[in-house]
Structure formats: C-alpha cells, structure tokens
Amino acid sequence: MAKINKMKFKFNLKYLLLTILLFLIEVLIATVLKDQFFIRAYLGDVIVVMLLYTFVKSFLIINDVKLILGIFVFSCLIEFAQFFNIAEKLGFQPGSLMYIVIGNSFSWIDIVCYAAGCLLLYLFVKIKDKI
C-alpha cells in the first residue's frame, strides 16, 4: 500500500527570523540599492527563492528537496505569467504592491537566477544534513 506523505504544521522561530531578515534584505535591495543594477536585477531573484523557502519552513515540516523543486516551479510559473502581463489583466495598477510582487516583465535571466538560488538552497541543505 502506498504511503501518503502528510505535511505537518510546526512553528519554527529560527526560520521565521530568517524569513524576516531575507524580507528586509529584499526591501533594502528594492529601495536603497535600486540603482545597483546587478544587485537589483540578479541578486534579488536569487534571494527571493530563499525567502519563500524559509517562509514555508517557518510553519511546515516538509521534505527539503520537494520544497525547493516546488519553489522553483512556482517561481517559473510566476515568471511565465509575467510574459502574459498577468498583473495588468488582474487589474493591478503599475506601482501597486501586488503589481510589484507579481512583476511585469518576463526574463529568462530571472529563471536562471531562481535556479541559482534553488541550487544554493539545495547545497546548503545537503551540507547542513552532513553536519
């Protein structure tokens, strides 16, 4: 008989604090470092997948590899939705919070950045497991 994996809810303060730290870094990148092209265009996309990972781990006990793969797929779906101008089609005004969160321009480089962030997460998890 097949085993059904159930997600278990459990609050983890360590991951929540990491989530807050990463969120503040993202806000810093979007506001103070907005003129630093490399940081704004690339590093922010690498960090955002880490932000999603720590957020989920703040509340769930879940397989790390499945979570990382899920975050990559989710990030790609959002990126491809940008190709179809989903933020505008949903009625969000340019400059609004949801317009900024969803994004407004598709880029293959963003997908590469998401992959890099997920790869870094995977390597971190594997190193952490060996320690």
Side-chain angles (χ1 to χ4, degrees):
M1 181 170 217
K3 182 181 176 183
I4 298 174
N5 291 334
K6 294 182 181 179
M7 286 188 287
K8 296 181 181 175
F9 293 94
K10 182 179 180 188
F11 178 71
N12 187 315
L13 181 61
K14 176 183 79 170
Y15 279 112
L16 182 62
L17 293 174
L18 281 169
T19 300
I20 293 167
L21 175 65
L22 290 171
F23 177 75
L24 292 173
I25 290 170
E26 288 283 18
V27 169
L28 179 72
I29 289 171
T31 57
V32 177
L33 301 174
K34 62 184 175 194
D35 296 328
Q36 303 296 318
F37 179 75
F38 178 82
I39 293 172
R40 175 83 165 110
Y42 305 116
L43 189 58
D45 288 338
V46 170
I47 293 172
V48 77
V49 295
M50 296 174 185
L51 172 67
L52 292 171
Y53 174 86
T54 58
F55 179 73
V56 171
K57 294 290 279 188
S58 296
F59 304 102
L60 295 176
I61 297 173
I62 186 170
N63 178 280
D64 289 319
V65 174
K66 289 180 181 177
L67 176 58
I68 293 167
L69 286 173
I71 288 170
F72 179 68
V73 169
F74 174 77
S75 301
C76 290
L77 289 173
I78 295 296
E79 193 66 30
F80 284 113
Q82 291 175 10
F83 179 79
F84 297 102
N85 300 312
I86 195 71
E88 290 175 9
K89 289 180 179 163
L90 291 173
F92 299 119
Q93 298 299 315
S96 69
L97 178 62
M98 285 308 296
Y99 190 89
I100 293 167
V101 168
I102 293 173
N104 58 359
S105 63
F106 173 83
S107 170
W108 287 107
I109 298 296
D110 288 353
I111 292 174
V112 171
C113 291
Y114 301 144
C118 288
L119 178 61
L120 287 172
L121 276 172
Y122 177 78
L123 293 173
F124 173 75
V125 165
K126 289 303 172 187
I127 290 169
K128 182 185 79 158
D129 287 346
K130 289 184 179 186
I131 294 176

